[in-house]
Amino acid sequence: MAALDSLLPLCRRQAPGCPDFLLREALRHAAREFCRDSWFARRTLELALEAGVSHYDLVPEDGAEEIIGADAVEYRGQPLQPADPRLLPQRPGRPSAFLWLPPATLELVPYPPEDADDLSEPAWVSVIVQPAPEADSVGDDIVRQYDHALADGALARVCALEGAAWSSPQAAARHGLLFHAAKVNAKGRALRAHLPRGLRVLPRRFA
């Protein structure tokens, strides 16, 4: 995780005089919006299955993040398909599909039966995350590739403040467009990286 304060230098020159606490809050807001709109930040969680249990509350590994979605589940080397709610009511059996229930619950369809005797192998869940509301850090993967985008999102917010010494509608609009373009770019990259067969990884080819 990277501290939000590490992004402050990217903002200060474009909003001279803006207090750091306002920039920090704007960066946090931008990071949450970026993750929510792009689904770029993914984490893989190990999920231990239990006999007779269909619903599982998911908890992020890092307390500075919160889970906002699940886009893939794999069990015993096979991807589970997104469930159609019309398939319910539930029934026991080997899980073959999953359903995301906000704010952070995963439902398996079917669910492991009460007499299941071999649940030693976990399921793997690809979840979408965003910084928690009070987080002072953001994922390294986001900062590494989209640090300037987060700065643009923050600047669009603070430059739109009316009456402030650093306010500028033109700068707010310019940074807002750059931020929007970065979100669209990140969403496209996230979609291309999401393979239809769950969490499998393609081999890297070298020229």
Side-chain angles (χ1 to χ4, degrees):
M1 301 290 286
L4 288 175
D5 283 5
S6 67
L7 300 173
L8 290 176
L10 298 177
C11 303
R12 288 178 178 135
R13 292 183 180 180
Q14 303 298 321
C18 183
D20 281 355
F21 77 90
L22 282 181
L23 290 174
R24 190 178 298 110
E25 178 61 28
L27 283 166
R28 183 183 298 112
H29 185 277
R32 286 170 58 82
E33 180 180 336
F34 181 88
C35 293
R36 187 170 59 251
D37 291 351
S38 70
W39 278 40
F40 177 79
R42 287 177 165 85
R43 311 286 181 253
T44 300
L45 300 181
E46 181 178 346
L47 180 64
L49 303 189
E50 301 178 34
V53 176
S54 59
H55 293 70
Y56 297 84
D57 294 330
L58 303 180
V59 179
E61 293 183 349
D62 194 308
E65 295 180 328
E66 61 184 11
I67 298 172
I68 57 175
D71 70 331
V73 181
E74 186 175 284
Y75 181 56
R76 293 188 174 179
Q78 296 297 320
L80 274 59
Q81 301 301 314
D84 185 338
R86 293 173 298 179
L87 295 176
L88 307 180
Q90 271 276 25
R91 66 185 190 281
R94 177 169 174 169
S96 62
F98 70 95
L99 186 66
W100 171 253
L101 303 173
T105 299
L106 185 77
E107 181 176 1
L108 297 182
V109 185
Y111 60 88
E114 292 283 358
D115 58 355
D117 57 3
D118 183 17
L119 294 176
S120 59
E121 188 171 343
W124 298 95
V125 186
S126 172
V127 296
I128 313 302
V129 299
Q130 67 180 10
E134 304 300 326
D136 289 324
S137 59
V138 65
D140 290 327
D141 52 342
I142 305 169
V143 172
R144 185 165 52 249
Q145 300 184 56
Y146 290 103
D147 54 347
H148 285 82
L150 299 186
D152 283 322
L155 289 166
R157 188 175 180 85
V158 298
C159 289
L161 295 174
E162 296 183 4
W166 58 85
S167 65
S168 170
Q170 294 81 8
R174 182 176 70 255
H175 289 294
L177 288 173
L178 291 171
F179 185 50
H180 175 74
K183 290 190 295 181
V184 172
N185 174 273
K187 186 173 184 178
R189 294 182 64 177
L191 290 174
R192 289 191 296 272
H194 174 57
L195 304 177
R197 292 188 59 79
L199 308 179
R200 298 174 188 270
V201 179
L202 290 177
R204 180 178 297 178
R205 295 182 179 178
F206 298 90

